[in-house]
Amino acid sequence: MDLTLKIWRQAGPRDKGKLVTYQVEDISPDMSFLEMLDVLNERLNAKGEEPVAFDSDCREGICGMCGLMISGQAHGPEKTTTCQLHMRSFSDGETITIEPWRAEAFPVIRDLVVNRSAFDRIIQAGGFISVNTGSAPDAHATPVPKPNAERAFVAAECIGCGACVAACPNASGMLFMGAKVTHLSELPQGQPERMARVVSMVSTHDAEGFGGCTNIGECSKACPKGIPQDVISTLNRDLRMALSSGH
Amino acid sequence: MTDTVQTPDTFGLWTLGDPIADTKAPGGPIENKWTKRKFDAALVNPANRRKLSVIIVGTGLAGGAAAATLGEAGYHVKSFCFQDSPRRAHSIAAQGGINAAKNYKEDGDSVYRLFYDTVKGGDYRARETNVYRLAEVSANIIDQCVAQGVPFAREYGGLLDNRSFGGVQVSRTFYARGQTGQQLLIGAYQALERQVAEGTVEQYVRHEMLEVIVSGGRARGIIARDLETGEIETHLADAVVLASGGYGNVFFLSTNAMGSNVTATWRAHRKGAYFGNPCYTQIHPTCIPVSGDHQSKLTLMSESLRNDGRIWVPKRREDCDKDPRQIAEADRDYYLERIYPAFGNLVPRDIASRQAKNVCDEGRGVGPVVGDFRRGVYLDFADAIKRLGKSAVEAKYGNLFDMYARITGENPYEVPMRIYPAVHYTMGGLWVDYDLQSNIPGLFVTGEANFSDHGANRLGASALMQGLADGYFVLPNTIRDYLAKGPFDTLDANAPEVAAARTSVQERTQRLLAINGDRSVDSFHKELGHIMWEYCGMERTQEGLLKAIDLIRSLREEFWRNVRVLGSADTLNQSLEKAGRVADFLELGELMCIDALHRRESCGGHFRGESQTEDGEALRHDDQFAYVAAWEFTPEAADGIPGGGMGAPVLHKEDLTYEFIELKQRSYK
Ligand SMILES: Cc1cc2nc3c(=O)[nH]c(=O)nc-3n(C[C@H](O)[C@H](O)[C@H](O)COP(=O)(O)OP(=O)(O)OC[C@H]3O[C@@H](n4cnc5c(N)ncnc54)[C@H](O)[C@@H]3O)c2cc1C
Ligand code: FES
């Protein structure tokens, strides 16, 4: 198939950046979206033009490294990561716009590559259980009811790609943060720090420049792992409890 | 049937050096060794720990766990990864599970049984002492992870669930659906971020280590490139840990992540660290086949599919492009069931892989023609669907079928799946002693980056175990014995060794950008991958390996003359990053072929054409090859390769003695 690509090119963090149009011919529907970009880059390189920078690593939908706005949709038209999207989801002759995640908290580094370290800083603020290596009791000392274990698992599936932020009109990081809060709140091991955790994470989230949540729900729709929106309710409930108990 | 070993100078490709020994494992009964080693290792006063610094390259299970643990202990840690967050290390992609000798199922498991299974699974080419310790600490891993909040699968009573994995007879594998690696890594990552917040760990993301600094005979730091700004940075410390993962991407196509590379360990090898068993590679039988030349990586599907799927190819080549559903039962060759009636489709990974390659080489493969032939065999669930019903098959394998459908665009409930083997894991890596220290004092190597625990073949669910055992429990205990001798003399950033390391990185970077030839980095990488797969993959022969060495040498020469890397050194430049990695793969590939050539035996996943039984099965030579091959780098001046070319490497042998387990030949017929 033949496609017209409009790709965001930006030489560096301080460069203004613009959309540049490329024609790519002979794309196989069996290619993944990123393989299609590999092909474009090989052709650009052959012509002496600098390849388009974009992030990816596992290309299996699990590391969270990839992430592109594809014609206005985070990770494109299917409910999956950009690396797992295949060209058979597009049609011959289509024009595709490719942009980086857009959010104040995710500054562009170059072309389609953004800086998502704000997510690490939210985790540093409390997204963990304080247990030093070697001090753990036997794993069977604390049974976890299956429903709690299941819900913790569903929340823990978050890959930290940032699609939720990119899809949200407010560029809020609440789905990401709610997923972590829910994962740890569902487990007995997460209880001792539960209140302090949520307060600290939320204040870091706000300080990093992420927007507030107004319950639009675009985050959950864009999430390649289908993290449900109710993790945000859990976060809000924990936050209310923490604040009313003086945390 | 058998033949004699060549003397080292038969081909003039390597020389024989002094044998080496692992001197750190204490004597005595195997079950007491680790306790004794921990007791004998010197202690560091908590007040002094802050003055001792450790660089850890890698944030996968091995590196992330170690950085968190050393931070908790109070050392000053600097942690590096090339991704934008430590949480993205390749460990995240592991699916199946992690082994531990908990014996929660009361099915007869024990530390000894896990030890035994791992040594046997490694085809008797692993070091007994290390493997025993691995089995011993395995139970602590599960405790630690559960305490961190890792959501392992649980039963209704709230206790942990286990499954049996990779043909073992006990249920010792802990799992978190198909995302075990992800959940374990997030646990280690969170522990690491906690230490970043505490200020014990400094985190450097989007940084690539490009050189190790050795001064006064000790590893004292690294040169790293900030991938965002291009800045070349010097980082000094009292010790350096490499936890940089495996090098399967030397084959271009593998199940590894795009960025997985050998640079960290290869640079250390060039500085004197021995490389252990570089030719030991694991090839996994159930991957989704290549769909065309554009393919950038391969995707693994769980081996569990072989429990119910039947593997076949057409008997006749003419049928290979037919709709498989139209091929009559009598015209199909269920080759594994035919050759191995006792084990059928459940033969070990290496045998399933090699037979798939054989039938495709004969021209009976299926699926698209890639290169000059079809690379795929059918994995057919029609019988299973008939026997169990579609919904039972869906309940068991639904997510795998969905993944397959998404990638191939075919519906595996209707049309048989196609699979083909792919490179998956590298057992080889830098040589380390019982303390996980390389032969360069102060340079420690953990996880997939070292050679130590899996011999010639790794069992399923044991790499995650090794990564976390090394990171949480082994390294933090052994490195303190070394650190107790520090802090070492302050090293000046302008000291000659430091400046030289820095200059060599700068020169190499400039050189790559200056060539401006007419071939892309990827084209070299693909060509190298083809050579490696063809001649140093599942089946190796003397003739093929000699040919491969010639091909790699001329490819390397062409690379340094004709590669085209655009852009500059002072911005994010992904072509430049790739070029540096491929340059190192082009050297590693040659060493792998030399190692494979010298090991004239079939062992683990490596079938050596000249070493087979009368009915074509693998034949090991314990009398000649029961040793670890640890290779020392010899530089040789060569035009165009900054830092020199490769001379003939020196082979140091570490003899493997089996005191606790008896050596046996494997048989699956
Ligand atoms: C698809 C797949 C499925 C698997 N499934 C299983 C399974 O079910 N069970 C099992 O036990 N094993 C499994 N394995 C194997 C296992 O996942 C790996 O062997 C293991 O996770 C490796 O961990 P590691 O910490 O050694 O390295 P990695 O996780 O690969 O981490 C390497 C780290 O080093 C960093 N790094 C590398 N080079 C540099 C450099 N030059 N500079 C700076 N940083 C660098 C990277 O950024 C990364 O942080 C699987 C492997 C694959 C590919
Ligand atoms: S590259 Fe890892 S999720 Fe897409």
Side-chain angles (χ1 to χ4, degrees):
Chain A
M1 52 210 268
D2 299 343
L3 300 161
T4 303
L5 305 176
K6 294 191 164 161
I7 303 183
W8 185 259
R9 302 297 313 251
Q10 179 173 340
R14 277 172 294 276
D15 188 65
K16 265 187 65 182
K18 59 172 192 294
L19 284 171
V20 177
T21 304
Y22 301 96
Q23 304 295 335
V24 282
E25 286 93 39
D26 278 338
I27 293 299
S28 148
D30 286 331
M31 285 180 191
S32 72
F33 195 81
L34 297 182
E35 284 167 348
M36 182 274 292
L37 289 181
D38 291 341
V39 169
L40 170 71
N41 277 344
E42 284 291 288
R43 294 180 190 167
L44 290 178
N45 194 70
K47 284 198 291 187
E49 286 178 48
E50 276 190 61
V52 180
F54 63 89
D55 269 330
S56 78
D57 201 29
C58 74
R59 295 206 177 180
E60 284 191 20
I62 193 74
C63 74
M65 188 88 181
C66 66
L68 299 174
M69 268 324 234
I70 300 170
S71 298
Q73 283 175 292
H75 290 306
E78 313 278 343
K79 201 170 175 65
T80 187
T81 55
T82 303
C83 61
Q84 288 285 287
L85 182 65
H86 282 72
M87 295 316 292
R88 64 183 81 88
S89 298
F90 298 86
S91 35
D92 190 22
E94 202 172 325
T95 299
I96 308 173
T97 311
I98 308 172
E99 291 174 274
W101 286 167
R102 302 273 186 207
E104 188 190 324
F106 291 164
V108 173
I109 298 171
R110 186 183 170 89
D111 296 341
L112 304 171
V113 177
V114 300
N115 181 335
R116 287 170 291 196
S117 293
F119 271 4
D120 287 338
R121 291 189 289 272
I122 292 179
I123 300 299
Q124 285 158 23
F128 48 75
I129 289 170
S130 298
V131 52
N132 283 1
T133 302
S135 57
D138 184 86
H140 270 180
T142 323
V144 182
K146 201 172 164 80
N148 299 88
E150 290 284 318
R151 184 156 189 255
F153 182 87
V154 168
E157 279 192 278
C158 168
I159 58 173
C161 62
C164 47
V165 176
C168 174
N170 308 330
S172 170
M174 288 290 264
L175 191 75
F176 168 78
M177 192 165 45
K180 188 46 57 195
V181 165
T182 304
H183 163 205
L184 300 176
S185 291
E186 284 291 336
L187 299 171
Q189 292 85 352
Q191 299 312 311
E193 295 165 290
R194 184 166 176 179
M195 297 295 123
R197 170 184 309 124
V198 68
V199 174
S200 170
M201 287 176 75
V202 169
S203 78
T204 303
H205 169 272
D206 296 352
E208 288 289 347
F210 292 102
C213 170
T214 49
N215 277 316
I216 302 167
E218 289 295 328
C219 52
S220 198
K221 262 189 261 161
C223 176
K225 296 291 140 177
I227 304 285
Q229 225 187 321
D230 67 10
V231 300
I232 300 180
S233 321
T234 301
L235 182 147
N236 284 329
R237 194 195 56 214
D238 278 13
L239 184 64
R240 270 195 308 276
M241 263 173 12
L243 294 176
S244 63
S245 64
H247 275 273
Chain B
M1 183 165 105
T2 54
D3 56 9
T4 50
V5 203
Q6 327 84 22
T7 52
D9 49 17
T10 311
F11 307 105
L13 288 168
W14 69 88
T15 59
L16 191 62
D18 295 336
I20 42 172
D22 164 27
T23 52
K24 300 281 179 45
I30 198 153
E31 56 282 4
N32 297 346
K33 285 179 194 284
W34 179 228
T35 309
K36 180 151 183 359
R37 180 69 195 121
K38 279 191 287 186
F39 182 78
D40 291 344
L43 296 175
V44 180
N45 180 330
N48 287 341
R49 294 184 193 158
R50 191 65 203 143
K51 295 177 213 144
L52 291 161
S53 53
V54 182
I55 285 171
I56 302 183
V57 180
T59 60
L61 293 179
T69 304
L70 291 173
E72 289 160 6
Y75 297 100
H76 175 191
V77 179
K78 286 184 170 186
S79 152
F80 293 81
C81 67
F82 63 74
Q83 294 92 344
D84 73 333
S85 166
R87 66 180 292 154
R88 309 207 200 280
H90 181 55
S91 295
I92 200 109
Q95 305 169 351
I98 177 166
N99 287 331
K102 276 284 196 190
N103 195 26
Y104 279 158
K105 296 282 162 197
E106 286 293 345
D107 57 359
D109 199 13
S110 62
V111 168
Y112 191 87
R113 190 177 298 281
L114 177 53
F115 159 60
Y116 177 86
D117 288 348
T118 308
V119 170
K120 178 181 175 210
D123 215 4
Y124 307 93
R125 290 293 176 264
R127 200 191 271 158
E128 275 188 332
T129 49
N130 285 53
V131 179
Y132 191 90
R133 175 179 62 193
L134 176 65
E136 191 178 338
V137 303
S138 65
N140 305 105
I141 297 174
I142 304 303
D143 300 341
Q144 186 62 31
C145 295
V146 165
Q148 289 170 344
V150 170
F152 285 119
R154 288 184 182 263
E155 296 168 339
Y156 280 99
L159 299 180
L160 295 166
D161 192 17
N162 292 124
R163 59 182 171 202
S164 113
F165 198 73
V168 224
Q169 281 150 325
V170 291
S171 286
R172 63 160 75 104
T173 305
F174 293 79
Y175 64 101
R177 291 203 199 150
Q179 284 118 285
T180 317
Q182 178 196 23
Q183 295 308 324
L184 297 173
L185 185 65
I186 296 298
Y189 159 72
Q190 290 173 186
L192 176 65
E193 295 309 292
R194 175 177 162 238
Q195 291 311 306
V196 173
E198 295 274 336
T200 59
V201 177
E202 286 174 65
Q203 175 170 299
Y204 295 85
V205 300
R206 290 200 198 268
H207 271 67
E208 182 158 31
M209 169 202 155
L210 295 174
E211 199 53 88
V212 51
I213 298 167
V214 180
S215 168
R218 296 176 189 277
R220 292 300 307 276
I222 62 169
I223 306 290
R225 180 167 180 269
D226 178 337
L227 301 180
E228 229 176 284
T229 63
E231 195 175 332
I232 306 290
E233 303 172 347
T234 304
H235 295 271
L236 300 172
D238 291 298
V240 176
V241 180
L242 301 182
S244 50
Y247 51 84
N249 277 350
V250 66
F251 291 86
F252 184 70
L253 287 181
S254 83
T255 63
N256 287 5
M258 301 302 287
S260 298
N261 69 89
V262 76
T263 291
T265 48
W266 190 256
R267 295 282 117 200
H269 175 59
R270 274 181 153 269
K271 280 279 167 82
Y274 296 167
F275 213 111
N277 301 329
C279 81
Y280 285 170
T281 316
Q282 182 163 70
I283 303 205
H284 198 292
T286 50
C287 299
I288 300 179
V290 178
S291 68
D293 268 344
H294 56 263
Q295 191 99 14
S296 59
K297 76 152 278 162
L298 295 170
T299 302
L300 177 82
M301 287 190 298
S302 168
E303 219 165 352
S304 62
L305 290 169
R306 287 198 280 141
N307 290 332
D308 288 302
R310 294 181 70 196
I311 295 176
W312 64 275
V313 290
K315 282 189 179 158
R316 292 188 304 258
R317 292 172 182 211
E318 307 84 81
D319 288 345
C320 287
D321 55 357
K322 279 196 185 148
D323 179 338
R325 290 166 296 186
Q326 309 301 321
I327 301 176
E329 206 51 37
D331 296 329
R332 300 175 175 194
D333 179 11
Y334 294 90
Y335 57 91
L336 289 177
E337 298 172 23
R338 171 172 59 81
I339 310 174
Y340 308 97
F343 281 77
N345 296 298
L346 292 175
V347 289
R349 287 181 180 178
D350 52 335
I351 295 177
S353 297
R354 186 160 52 83
Q355 294 299 357
K357 180 173 189 291
N358 286 347
V359 292
C360 293
D361 287 353
E362 283 166 22
R364 295 193 291 141
V366 296
V369 176
V370 179
D372 37 13
F373 61 101
R374 297 175 201 275
R375 296 161 202 253
V377 300
Y378 291 123
L379 176 62
D380 197 337
F381 284 83
D383 284 355
I385 292 173
K386 223 179 281 162
R387 180 163 44 90
L388 307 165
K390 185 179 165 192
S391 57
V393 169
E394 192 172 343
K396 259 182 155 165
Y397 305 113
N399 55 354
L400 292 169
F401 278 39
D402 291 348
M403 175 172 82
Y404 181 86
R406 191 163 53 239
I407 292 176
T408 61
E410 288 172 10
N411 177 356
Y413 294 102
E414 303 287 327
V415 195
M417 277 185 175
R418 287 173 293 111
I419 55 167
Y420 200 61
V423 171
H424 175 55
Y425 182 87
T426 47
M427 282 76 68
L430 291 186
W431 182 89
V432 288
D433 63 17
Y434 189 66
D435 278 2
L436 305 181
Q437 185 169 214
S438 73
N439 57 305
I440 300 178
L443 183 73
F444 292 78
V445 194
T446 59
E448 193 173 338
N450 74 25
F451 88 102
S452 72
D453 296 355
H454 308 293
N457 178 46
R458 179 179 68 80
L459 288 182
S462 61
L464 300 181
M465 170 171 71
Q466 186 217 339
L468 289 180
D470 287 1
Y472 285 133
F473 300 107
V474 180
L475 179 88
N477 278 299
T478 58
I479 201 172
R480 75 177 146 83
D481 189 55
Y482 180 79
L483 290 171
K485 302 183 194 107
F488 302 106
D489 298 342
T490 325
L491 191 59
D492 192 275
N494 296 318
E497 310 88 302
V498 184
R502 217 187 145 88
T503 313
S504 77
V505 168
Q506 277 156 346
E507 278 175 10
R508 202 171 134 92
T509 307
Q510 291 309 334
R511 169 82 206 189
L512 286 168
L513 289 166
I515 298 167
N516 201 18
D518 42 50
R519 277 185 70 179
S520 72
V521 176
D522 270 1
S523 80
F524 283 100
H525 195 178
K526 275 187 194 175
E527 190 173 335
L528 173 66
H530 283 165
I531 299 171
M532 295 303 292
W533 179 253
E534 219 38 63
Y535 303 110
C536 197
M538 287 176 268
E539 186 162 346
R540 297 136 179 214
T541 62
Q542 173 175 312
E543 192 193 345
L545 289 163
L546 288 170
K547 180 165 175 200
I549 292 168
D550 279 345
L551 291 171
I552 294 170
R553 286 181 173 172
S554 49
L555 190 64
R556 193 166 65 228
E557 184 276 323
E558 188 190 343
F559 177 89
W560 284 103
R561 181 167 48 77
N562 196 24
V563 72
R564 171 181 290 182
V565 185
L566 299 173
S568 70
D570 54 6
T571 54
L572 180 95
N573 186 340
Q574 294 172 328
S575 310
L576 179 63
E577 294 165 29
K578 275 197 265 182
R581 294 170 191 161
V582 171
D584 289 334
F585 281 138
L586 282 164
E587 297 188 0
L588 166 77
E590 177 174 329
L591 183 67
M592 289 172 73
C593 292
I594 292 177
D595 184 41
L597 179 67
H598 112 282
R599 189 169 284 278
R600 209 178 167 89
E601 67 165 344
S602 300
C603 71
H606 316 94
F607 190 78
R608 179 65 189 247
E610 294 91 346
S611 181
Q612 46 183 305
T613 63
E614 262 130 28
D615 47 1
E617 291 302 318
L619 184 64
R620 233 175 46 217
H621 291 300
D622 293 333
D623 50 336
Q624 298 161 24
F625 291 104
Y627 62 80
V628 176
W631 297 92
E632 180 185 351
F633 185 79
T634 318
E636 187 173 87
D639 278 350
I641 301 183
M646 297 170 71
V650 185
L651 170 63
H652 299 274
K653 297 179 182 177
E654 179 198 331
D655 277 329
L656 293 167
T657 41
Y658 288 91
E659 280 180 64
F660 304 94
I661 288 178
E662 186 198 342
L663 275 81
K664 290 196 187 121
Q665 284 282 349
R666 297 191 304 165
S667 166
Y668 293 95
K669 285 230 167 155

